[in-house]
């Protein structure tokens, strides 16, 4: 697939709080390694990267609350912030969509002339999916590498529950089949980004 020379990587909520037992069983143990690979590639090629942090308003109930260690980015993300050759932005939010954060992600992307965004991070079927849907509605070409994110098992209504992997697949089908995003793999993105940037 083709990844634009100015495509933006949107790194959603890769925070320490998601390592707590509070969330339950997760899928895709390779997510962090894959996210790190894409951050490195984006920074190496001078592409823009937006780091998004969830500042929960739920007080002591949430491992992502401000002032708690769980609010911090995971170490592999924090140590990469500010190291890129291209533009970088820190967005903080308290809802699912990264487009409803501060400062405005949409405004920043528009100012850079970005038309294509690549979404990675946590959780696949929550903030990643919501950001992808809104990005598609706003007119961005959204790329969604499913193996650069993860989620957790979840209980819903009527006694229904789904595993993290089932939820990830449902998100992939909804986004891709519904035309909100192109659901791909990290390898697809790396090959497309490296080709357009002349990296071998």
């Amino acid at each position: 697939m083709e990844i634009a020379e100015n495509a933006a990587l949107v790194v959603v909520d890769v925070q320490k709080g998601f390592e707590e037992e509070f969330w339950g069983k997760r899928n895709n143990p390779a997510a962090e390694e894959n996210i790190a690979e894409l951050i490195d590639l984006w920074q190496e090629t001078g592409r823009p990267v937006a780091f998004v942090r969830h500042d929960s308003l739920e007080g002591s109930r949430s491992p992502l609350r401000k002032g708690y260690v769980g609010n911090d980015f995971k170490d592999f993300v924090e140590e990469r912030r500010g190291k890129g050759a291209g533009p970088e932005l820190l967005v903080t939010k308290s809802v699912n969509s990264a487009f409803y954060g501060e400062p405005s992600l949409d405004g920043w992307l528009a100012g850079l002339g970005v038309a294509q965004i690549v979404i990675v991070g946590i959780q696949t079927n929550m903030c990643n999916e919501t950001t992808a849907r809104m990005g598609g509605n706003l007119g961005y070409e959204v790329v969604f590498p499913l193996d650069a994110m993860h989620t957790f098992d979840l209980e819903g209504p009527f006694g229904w529950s789904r595993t993290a992997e089932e939820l990830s697949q449902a998100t992939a089908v909804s986004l891709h089949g519904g035309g909100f995003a192109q659901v791909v793999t990290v390898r697809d993105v790396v090959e497309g980004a490296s080709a357009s940037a002349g990296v071998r």
Side-chain angles (χ1 to χ4, degrees):
M1 71 174 307
E2 184 174 344
I3 300 294
E5 290 185 18
N6 72 336
L9 183 68
V10 182
V11 183
V12 180
D13 301 352
V14 185
Q15 294 166 252
K16 293 180 178 179
F18 281 118
E19 297 174 347
E20 299 194 7
E21 293 183 4
F22 173 90
W23 304 97
K25 186 178 178 183
R26 63 172 277 184
N27 70 329
N28 191 20
E32 285 82 357
E33 178 183 347
N34 289 335
I35 293 166
E37 181 179 0
L38 292 183
I39 295 173
D40 288 345
L41 177 58
W42 251 251
Q43 292 184 325
E44 175 190 344
T45 56
R47 288 181 169 94
V49 181
F51 294 98
V52 182
R53 188 184 74 216
H54 190 85
D55 292 345
S56 176
L57 301 179
E58 294 185 16
S60 60
R61 290 175 41 200
S62 174
L64 304 178
R65 63 188 182 274
K66 286 190 72 173
Y68 177 65
V69 66
N71 183 255
D72 296 342
F73 287 120
K74 294 191 181 190
D75 291 342
F76 81 92
V77 170
E78 185 59 38
E79 68 191 19
R80 285 169 166 80
R81 287 183 57 219
K83 303 290 178 62
E88 293 189 11
L89 179 72
L90 171 64
V91 176
T92 59
K93 64 179 180 62
S94 58
V95 294
N96 299 104
S97 175
F99 286 101
Y100 281 126
E102 293 291 337
S104 168
L105 177 61
D106 185 41
W108 184 71
L109 294 170
L112 295 173
V114 169
Q116 184 185 58
I117 61 173
V118 179
I119 296 172
V120 302
I122 310 169
Q123 303 178 55
T124 308
N125 58 317
M126 299 291 185
C127 295
N128 292 7
E129 180 173 350
T130 305
T131 299
R133 287 176 179 273
M134 190 166 176
N137 284 168
L138 289 170
Y140 292 97
E141 179 187 349
V142 180
V143 179
F144 203 81
L146 197 64
D147 50 347
M149 56 189 73
H150 75 80
T151 191
F152 303 90
D153 294 359
L154 192 64
E155 294 183 4
F158 314 123
W160 296 347
S161 63
R162 294 294 181 269
T163 66
E165 192 60 30
E166 288 171 336
L167 292 167
S168 292
Q169 291 177 13
T171 288
V173 170
S174 293
L175 291 180
H176 196 91
F180 290 98
Q182 297 179 68
V183 179
V184 297
T185 67
V186 168
R187 292 276 66 78
D188 294 329
V189 174
V190 169
E191 290 172 7
S194 298
S196 63
V199 176
R200 297 189 181 279

